[in-house]
Each structure stands twice: as structure tokens, then as C-alpha cells.
Amino acid sequence: MKIKLLPKFIISLGIVGLILTIATSLFSYATSKSYLGKMYAKRVMTNCNVIAAMIDVEDVKTIISDGGNQTPEYQKMCKLFNQLKKDGDVTSLSLVVPDEDSVCFYIDALVEEMGDDPANQIPYGSDILYVDAANPDDPADMEKYITIWQRYAKNKGLDKPIVTDNDYGYNYTWVSVILDESGNAIAEIQYILDMSEARAYLISLLTNMLLISFAIIGLTIVAYIFFVRKMVTKPIGKLTDFTQEITETNNFENQRIEIKTGDEIESLSDSFNFMLEEIQNYISNLSKITAEKERIGAELDVAKHIQESMLPCIFPPFPERHEFDIFASMTPAKEVGGDFYDFFLVDEDHLAMVMADVSGKGVPAAMFMMISKTLIKSATQSGLSPAAVLEKVNNQLCENNDAEMFVTVWLGILEISTGKMICANAGHEYPVIMRKDGEFELYKDKHGFVLAAMEDIRYKEYELEMNAGDRLFVYTDGVPETINLSNTLYGTDRMVAALNRAKTGSCSQLLEAVHQDVKFFAGEAEQFDDITMLCLEIKNTLPDLKEIKIEPSLDKMPEVTEFFDRILSEAEVPAKTVLQINVVVDEILSNIIYYSGATSVKAGCASINDQVILQFTDNGRPYDPREKADPDISLPLEERENGGLGIFMVKKIMDEISYEYKDGQNILTLFKR
């Protein structure tokens, strides 16, 4: 709920007035109390000491001796005490002799005209215990009696009045000793003065001060409120109404307000008029600014989509390839980013992977990124090695690099059939590798200089052996250099730990797990760099094959052909392809039977992802049919060399052939799409 300015003034002034009133009254009360306290303390001390001085010591000895109340001295002393009590308006005036635990009263002055009740007079010789005289609810009261006795034992009276404020009343008490010729105390005068009237006076003073202060400050506040209303709230209210009217009508043209107060409020109205002129100018230009901003936004959106379209974004990218799984992602810090990744098949047996980070952010970095990506892909597809690619692209980027931008690059080319990967690193982050059934670990490879910084830089290559179940993770510095609100780096240790927590997932799940971990770590902190990641997993090179094992003899060939026909028929392989595969099977088995010297043969077959895979394993002599030169079929039949036509036919029928000799076995694998 909003409260207007004038009520706020009234409330605040009222609070200030209340504080001033209470403070002034309490100060007056405290000052008066201190003054009266000192005045009455001096009075009881002076009067008590005078009385003690004017009393004859011999008379005191007579009075406190046995039968002293029957002597003329007693009568004379009682009369004197009564007169002194009356003249001094004393509450209690007594001649007493204290000891360790009690006090003995010899004279207790009584003046009935002052309201004293004879029934309350303490008789001569009354010995009253301190525990009976003290207030049982006030432990400090007992201490006062003990103090008087301790002073008396030292032949001294009090050096300051004792203040009693309890159920027995509010009193000032003074004690003066009567000394004999040897200076020993023989009795003392007990002088008590009632302070209730003084207290009543102080309370009356406090009440009057409160009332007077309230009245004075209240009138001052009322006068000040009228002044504030005229000089402050009314002009401000006028300005508020004017502002609300403009806001509701949304009309700023030629609107002005005139306030003449000769102070800051008038200056505020002048500033407001100036602001209206500026708003009017701003509104006239706003449509142009908005249109320009929308145009820039649209162009940035187009640039973002162009950049995204340049990166591989359809997954799985090679659905017909079962040898590996690959996934990548990029999250730019701005509309467009400087990071990029790429992967592509150089040929059927070589997969190239690129991870790169351009210096800078925004549109310039994005343009440099597109140039770099195009040059790297073009050089790689030309058949160059990773080091040669980086050397060539570095020199190309150095040409006319007036912006002095640079790019870090990690490039790897995987030979799919063998798992051998040749890599080169131009100032990029270390890759992370996980071996089968192992943990992710940083692989601290050889770093070269960044691209586009200096011409004719030489780069070194290194080789990785990637087997089934192994994984490779590459990334840009946006991952480890993410910071949170505490300005703490995410770091490679957290990244590797996140990878290991999600190592059982697929490549896409792995990247998502790292991204979520980075996001959780950063919290509300703004992303300041692009986050780009790529993960490669090497799969088993072949799916599970259905196999048949036979002795290498011609009468077993129909059994193998029938076995293959059944598998291909169940997989609904086209009849034409089945006939071609039967020719291949006959040719391969014939070669093994006639020429290899094998004693056992194992034939396997599978159909997956629109591809037929054949594999023949025998323990014969090593023989790679791919090394057999193709016959020149352009020559007449009589001029050709014998043999080789069957293997040539196999090569023509099948799309891909691989061979290895391992553990004393020939392993020939053929693929047909």
C-alpha cells in the first residue's frame, strides 16, 4: 500500500516530536533528581552531625546506663530530640547503641503533631535484631545494618547517606557517632528523612514537562506541516498529477509544467520539462532504432542458422557404418560462436575429426570459423596427413589476416579397419581417452603453435591405437574454463570426473551428462565462452556372425551355400544379391580348398543395416587376395595369364574387402551393400 508524502511527513515529525518530548522530560527529571538528591544528602549529613556535636557526652553516658530513663538527663534529652524532630521535619530521630547483630534504642523521638503514633514508638532499652528490622524481601537492606555496625566498630559514622527504597518507604538515613574522651564510640544518632515528597515533586515535574513539551512541539509540528504542505507536498502533488496524466494519455508532445517555488522543487520541474523534450526526441527516433535492431537480430539469426547448418547436426551421421559411434554438440555463448567441430569420411576406411576454437567472440569469430572449417576439410579430403593439413591451412589463414585472429585445432584421422588414428594438435586442449572397461584420462599430446599466427610453422603427428570399446573425447576450452559466481574454474579434473560418472552411456548421453554438470557448476553465472564437445566410440568391427565350420573339401561347398542362402533369405536380401554372393562364396571356398593347404575352414555371414557381411577363416598359408593383380580383360583370351579372374570377379561384386593374418589364421572379410 502506497502512503502519500504528507502523511509520511506527519508520521515522521510526530515520531521526532515524541522522541524530543520524552528526551527533554527525562533529562529535566534526571537533572532535578540529581540536584535534590545531593541537597537532601547534605541536609541529613549536616543536621545529624550538628545534633551529635551539641549533645553532652556525660548526659549520653547517664542515659545509656542502667536506669537511665529515670534520670532528669533522659527527660531533657527526649524533649530536645522531639523539638529537633519537629523543627527539622525529621521522619525519625533516635539515640541508639548498635552491636554485631542488633541495635538498642534509648531515645526514639515522638511528635504527635507530626502524625507520629505513640503505639509505634520504640520503648527505652529495646534491643532489635537486624534480621527483624531488615526487609526480608530486600537482601540489600540487611547489608545496610551491617555497614552501620562496621563503621561504628571503627568509631566512625557514615560517609554517605543510606538510601532505602522498599516497602518501608523511600528514605535517606544518616548516622553520626558520639565519642567519649578517649575517642571511642559510645552511642550514635540515627537520622532518617522521608523522601516521598521529593519523589512526588519529581513525578509532578516529569508530568508537567511532558505536557508542556507535547504542547510546544505539537504546535511546532502543526505549523511546520502547513509550511511543508504549501512549499513541498502541494507542488510535488501537482507534478505527480501532471506525470500521471502524461503517462495515461501517452502524449509527450508540447507538454510542460510551471512550478514557482524558488527552490529544488522548481529545479525538479525544469528538469522534468527538459526530460519531456528528450523523450519526445527519443520517441521520434525509436521506430528507426527498433527497425535497425530487428534487422540486426534477423541477420544474426540467419548467421546462427548458417553456422549451425555448416556443422554436422544429423545423428547418427553414418547409419550404415557399424564400426563406430560419434556425437558432437556446440552451445555458443552469443548468437553465433567461434568454436566448431567437424567429422567426415575421407574415404570408406578413413574418418576425419576436427575440434577447433577461434579467438574472439561473435560475428568476426564466426566468419573466421567458417573459413577455417572449409579450408581444413578441403585439405583433409585431398589426402594430406593431419600435420600437412595444419601446415597448409596455417599458411592460407596467415594471408591477409589483418584482424590478427587465430584458431586452435585438434585434427585426427581414423583408419576404421585397423583402429589406427593419426593426430596433430595446433595449440588445442588435451584430448581425453577411455580404454575398454577403463577410466577416462587426459592424453597429454604434442602441442604445436596455433593456426594463423605465424607462417611456415611445422607440426608433429602422433598415433593412437583405438580398439573396440575405446572412446575419445575432444572439446574446447569453454568446458574447463567455465566459472561460477565464486569465480572458480570448472577445470579438467571435474570434466574427467563427470565423464567417468557417465561412462556407461552412449556418446550422446556422455556429452549431455558433461553439459549438465557444467551447467550445474556455473549456476546463475553467465556463459562467457562457447561450449563444444565431440565423442567417438569404437564399436566391434563386425556384428555377431552366424558361422559354419567345415573340412576344406568340394563336397562340403553345397552345405555352405545352403547355410548362406538360409541366412540371407531370413534377412530378406534381394535375390540378385543372393546370386552374386553365391558366386563369391564358391570362388573363395574353391581357392581355400585348392591352394591354401588348410585343414579347417570357418565361414560366417550376417546382414545388418542393408549390408551383407561375409567372413572366411582358415589355417592355411598366408594369402591376401587384394594383392593379386587384376587381369587385363581387354586382351584376347589366349593372351591373358592363367588365374586371377575369379578373385577379380569377387572384387567387382563386393563393395569392400579386408584381410588380416592373425594367430596363424587367414581372416578374409567382405562387405556387400
Side-chain angles (χ1 to χ4, degrees), residues 238-252:
K238 181 179 179 181
L239 183 61
T240 302
D241 294 340
F242 178 69
T243 304
Q244 186 173 357
E245 179 182 351
I246 291 177
T247 303
E248 291 176 352
T249 59
N250 209 19
N251 180 20
F252 297 91

Side-chain angles (χ1 to χ4, degrees), residues 523-535:
E524 299 298 324
E526 183 179 359
Q527 180 185 341
F528 75 97
D529 200 0
D530 305 331
I531 296 176
T532 308
M533 299 176 285
L534 181 148
C535 183

Side-chain angles (χ1 to χ4, degrees), residues 547-551 556 559-560 563 599-604 617:
E547 296 177 329
I548 183 173
K549 189 173 183 180
I550 62 170
E551 295 178 359
K556 294 291 185 180
E559 184 180 342
V560 176
F563 174 75
T599 58
S600 67
V601 179
K602 183 169 61 177
T617 304

Side-chain angles (χ1 to χ4, degrees), residues 661-665:
Y661 186 77
K662 184 177 181 182
D663 299 331
Q665 301 279 328

